[in-house]
Amino acid sequence: MSDPGDELEASLTAIWRRCLAVDRVGPDDDFLDLGGDSLGALAVLAELELAHGVPVDVFELMMAPTVRELAAVVRAKSVGGP
Amino acid sequence: MSASPGASHLEQVAAAWTAAFDGVRHPDSANFFDLGGTSQQLLRVVAELRELPAGGQVTAQDLYRHPTIRALADALAARTGPAAGPDGPTGPRTPAAVGPGDTIRIVSPGFPTLAHLPDRAGRAVAALEALGFAVGFGEHAFAMSPDGLTAGPARQRAADIMAAFEDPGVDAILVSDAGEGSRELLPLLDARVIARNPKPFVGFCDTAFLQHYLALEAGLGSAYGCSLMVHLGDVGGPMPETTDHLVRTLAGLPLELRPVASRSRPLTTWFDPDVEGSRRVRDVPGGWHWARGGVASGPLFGGEVSQLADIVKEFGLSYDGAVVFVDITEEHTTPPLWLLGRLFREVDLTGAAALVIGADPQSDPAVWARQVSALLDRFVPGTSFPVLVNADICHLAPCWTVPFGEPAVLDESRGLLFPRRAHPVTSSTSRSADV
């Protein structure tokens, strides 16, 4: 019964934790504050595309630097198509 | 301390007073001694002010003679001359004009590029000589450290810079190349000696650390944009715009910078032997984009996109009131838009007078301009100052050499202007109040 948005955010959270090697990632934690650099960004975006089939570029991540905002970008791209 | 290169004399004196009175901001007309100011507080005001552009030469006696914030600010303004209007932003003073027949000393503050590429050095020197300059080298300019990354020990590189300032036979100083090693020279330089021997210093990229030091510690303007090896050593000679800017800036002439029609591929591809041996081709369109229009003025400060946050930390400064330029380089593995986004988040630019963002040699100019606009809206919200994108500064060919620390005007309809006037070669002391 869970909201698909929550599932997406949970998936992104797991990807961030793995790629940035941090234990806790809140939905509003900032990618840069978590220690994310451009290599971490590329790792996150590669895993995101593998898991969800949606390409997101580094600029879009910079503009949407939290799990919540990034999930919104992924949702918008999924609906709109590539 | 929060020294702002763009703050007015009044603001700078008030900041020093406020620090001495433990954060209490007294009225501009209140008398220091009526407020119970002690000799220790007086010395604190002097010490604080000496850290700021307005107060480089201030003494305790000045405060005795001018015991209110306003009186002291007026006295200091009369001494150094307002850089941009009666209470407008002040910058460091302009060095003496340099032109044909004068001697340029080459120093190597960082990379040992001279030692790596002697042919390129020869072409670059010939280009300077063709402009009428005599060229000499610092004692250790051709040195190379065992790891090949710097032009010898920091002590020697700093000694070459000090020697160039102190040598009366040297009229201007040009770096051979930039390089990370520039930053470690700061504690090895002597701002008082430099202030007594002001002359133009031309650098770019990492040398922005040195140029902030010159402006903030020695009260000396410099020139940003050019180096011997990177900008002047191409086969077939440097691009005419590049040498024109260098000559005009050294001569103290007014500048009106406008977009160029075309550029070449990324600048430092000359490390590639094939590129190094051939003439540079201008096959990339030039042109500016205004992320935001308008008109603004202030002293020009800035540096390379990955270094500006460190520069702000190093000097504890703010860019309030300044025209801030951001030089984009292609040399990083990190995309420039990532570096620019990080800069916008790490450096408070909300008080800047204007921004000038360089072209990204790897990006489509229109795309880059749109990305910069979006980053601004996201990370520098609530601001409306003019922002120029795709400026020709300075990891580009051709590129600007611009007066660093001097008053600049960014005007959507006229371009980037430096309303200077020619200074007599001997005029290295002060600027008059009617600038």
Side-chain angles (χ1 to χ4, degrees), chain A residues 30 32 38 62-63 65 69, chain B residues 334 338 342 345 374 378-379:
Chain A
D30 187 286
L32 271 71
S38 67
M62 178 56 95
M63 295 298 293
E69 289 170 292
Chain B
T334 305
W338 185 269
R342 206 176 64 196
R345 303 167 74 170
R378 179 81 168 72
F379 298 115

Side-chain angles (χ1 to χ4, degrees), chain B residues 381-422:
Chain B
T383 56
S384 58
F385 48 70
V387 180
L388 171 63
V389 186
N390 291 315
D392 301 281
I393 191 166
C394 104
H395 286 75
L396 299 163
C399 85
W400 298 341
T401 295
V402 286
F404 184 97
E406 284 189 41
V409 180
L410 186 63
D411 182 335
E412 185 185 8
S413 62
R414 296 177 64 204
L416 180 61
L417 317 175
F418 294 86
R420 348 152 72 195
R421 62 176 182 198

Side-chain angles (χ1 to χ4, degrees), chain A residues 9 14 17 35 40 46 48 56 66:
Chain A
E9 287 187 16
R17 286 178 53 200
L48 188 161
V56 175
T66 67

Side-chain angles (χ1 to χ4, degrees), chain A residues 48-69:
Chain A
L48 188 161
E49 184 165 0
L50 270 178
H52 300 279
V54 177
V56 175
D57 66 28
V58 169
F59 177 68
E60 290 169 314
L61 173 59
M62 178 56 95
M63 295 298 293
T66 67
V67 162
R68 199 189 300 278
E69 289 170 292

